[in-house]
Amino acid sequence: GGLRLVAPESSEELALESARQYDECYGLAFAQQLKNKDIPEGGSKAVCLIDTNDILHGTRDYVLRKSVKAMTDSILDLVVDTKENRDAIVDYFGKREVLYLGPDRNVTPEDINWMIKQAGRRGYETPAAFMSSKPEAGINHKEYGVTSEGVNVFLDVALQRVLGIDPRKESFTVKMTDGPDGDVGGNEIAIMVCEYGDNAKIVGIADHSGCAEDPD
């Protein structure tokens, strides 16, 4: 599942995010499990909550990058089989675990490259598979809107089969949770414009940085 970095911009937001972090991660993982039900590995999610409120001006990005590295090493501590790990870890599962991560909010291509290189340095058997959407391999799902394409398929089916609307010939309205601030919502807006043109009328958006409504 995707690794998400959450860095609230105020101490109040940090307190709110801290209170709901587990529920957010559980809900995202549950949704991934439903989406990936036909894949043997199933679905998962990771949320890294980062306090950037008391740091020096201009160092926020540095703290985010250091947090990615710290979390990566923590995960590798648990899954890379070494004598030191075996002596320190209580393992109730009793089997080797193989993890495949993906990038989510605030994870950069530079983070991805560092993570797979670090996995190789730490002895992870398949370092290239440790993180998806590598800039020089495969498909960058953020750049090409892969997740949003899946969302649009569900939208298209719902419009035509449930509501009886042909979105390429008839207009329809949409209200969105997520939007330009997020990769999925931002790409979905672009896909709707590309697929349906002026027939897609977005009348409301609620996103991280604010919300907007235009009934007309």
Side-chain angles (χ1 to χ4, degrees):
L3 169 60
R4 170 175 296 192
L5 308 183
V6 179
E9 297 182 0
S10 70
S11 56
E12 291 79 8
E13 289 183 25
L14 177 67
L16 290 172
E17 292 291 348
S18 180
R20 74 184 195 97
Q21 182 182 22
Y22 178 84
D23 289 336
E24 178 185 14
C25 191
Y26 183 91
L28 291 167
F30 184 69
Q32 292 280 358
Q33 181 67 29
L34 295 177
K35 186 171 70 174
N36 299 330
K37 65 180 179 63
D38 296 320
I39 303 175
E41 290 85 355
S44 61
K45 204 72 177 182
V47 178
C48 182
L49 180 62
I50 306 166
D51 183 0
T52 59
N53 289 292
D54 295 325
I55 62 175
L56 295 175
H57 179 69
T59 59
R60 182 177 184 273
D61 186 70
Y62 172 79
V63 172
L64 293 182
R65 308 288 72 82
K66 289 289 289 185
S67 298
V68 169
K69 293 177 179 180
M71 189 167 185
T72 298
D73 275 324
S74 297
I75 293 173
L76 291 171
D77 284 342
L78 295 173
V79 298
V80 174
D81 187 25
T82 65
K83 183 180 184 304
E84 293 80 4
N85 289 4
R86 286 194 297 271
D87 293 339
I89 294 175
V90 178
D91 182 7
Y92 292 107
F93 188 53
K95 299 178 182 178
R96 288 182 60 256
E97 294 186 78
V98 180
L99 299 181
Y100 305 95
L101 304 179
D104 199 358
R105 186 188 305 166
N106 289 320
V107 175
T108 68
E110 291 74 23
D111 292 331
I112 296 170
N113 282 334
W114 185 90
M115 291 173 73
I116 59 176
K117 290 178 181 178
Q118 181 69 352
R121 288 190 290 263
R122 292 286 305 274
Y124 193 74
E125 291 184 359
T126 53
F130 186 63
M131 188 66 157
S132 66
S133 294
K134 293 173 285 296
E136 298 179 0
I139 297 174
N140 187 318
H141 78 86
K142 293 186 177 184
E143 180 179 352
Y144 291 97
V146 174
T147 306
S148 307
E149 290 284 2
V151 171
N152 204 70
V153 169
F154 278 90
L155 172 64
D156 198 88
V157 170
L159 288 170
Q160 298 196 59
R161 297 186 185 179
V162 179
L163 299 178
I165 297 173
D166 185 343
R168 290 167 181 82
K169 297 179 180 179
E170 304 171 75
S171 66
F172 61 95
T173 58
V174 178
K175 296 177 182 178
M176 297 182 64
T177 301
D178 196 12
D181 286 343
D183 299 306
V184 178
N187 283 323
E188 173 58 18
I189 293 172
I191 291 170
M192 283 195 293
V193 172
C194 179
E195 291 285 334
Y196 312 127
D198 292 337
N199 288 337
K201 301 183 182 303
I202 302 174
V203 297
I205 289 181
D207 206 354
H208 172 71
S209 60
C211 58
E213 183 181 19
D214 183 2
D216 299 324

